[in-house]
Amino acid sequence: VGSTSASASFGYLGGMNNFGGGASGSLLQFDQPQAVARSMDGSFFVADSNNHRIVKLDSSGQFVLTWGIQGTGDGQFNNVWDIDIAPDGTVFVADISNHRIQWFSQDGTFIGKLGGPTVGTGAGQFSQPAGVAVAPDGSVWVSDLQNDRLQHFTLTAGVANTPTIHGSNGTGDGQFVRPYGIDVDPTD
């Protein structure tokens, strides 16, 4: 359902730093956008990393809303790095420097989080979660960059269940060295 690749009309988002001039200007000025996801209604959500926010655009690219500021509180970010949309429309965000995943309604209302704001190595803790992907069944996969692993969790009533950890550091089968991005097959 979600996608980290923009359509042709939004191709400039991923390839430009400071598109439009940065945080001090209008709402459509990006500073190192890292990812774009598209919802079922055609809206686009941009992970605007150095502005520490999510920007929602309608299907024609017009500004709708933004949420987030730099910080460690709920709904605050420290470098948003990846974004995906669940089949039910929930927006999942990899908040890489706060070492957590947060999720929101499409109007930016905070729903929940897993991990952070400090580094951890246990299940449900992260060290720079760089990628997030939502499977068709609504389960969430996270590439846990500095812990050299993937974590997989489900939600019950909007609350994360204890994740399953996959992998460890190494180059053998089932091992990872700094897994950065992640995606799931939308047909599975």
Side-chain angles (χ1 to χ4, degrees), residues 80-149:
V80 291
W81 212 254
D82 199 12
I83 190 166
D84 204 8
I85 312 293
D88 68 0
T90 302
V91 178
F92 286 83
V93 178
D95 186 7
I96 193 168
S97 295
N98 278 331
H99 312 287
R100 65 185 176 186
I101 302 297
Q102 296 190 72
W103 50 98
F104 303 86
S105 67
Q106 290 198 12
D107 67 2
T109 301
F110 175 82
I111 297 172
K113 65 183 174 190
L114 184 64
T118 59
V119 171
T121 59
Q125 298 176 326
F126 303 100
S127 181
Q128 295 189 332
V132 61
V134 185
D137 66 1
S139 64
V140 181
W141 288 85
V142 179
S143 58
D144 192 359
L145 182 71
Q146 297 295 329
N147 283 328
D148 301 307
R149 64 188 183 182

Side-chain angles (χ1 to χ4, degrees), residues 7 10 17 20 45 61 72 103 114 122 124 170:
S7 71
F10 293 95
N17 292 337
F45 294 81
T72 59
W103 50 98
L114 184 64

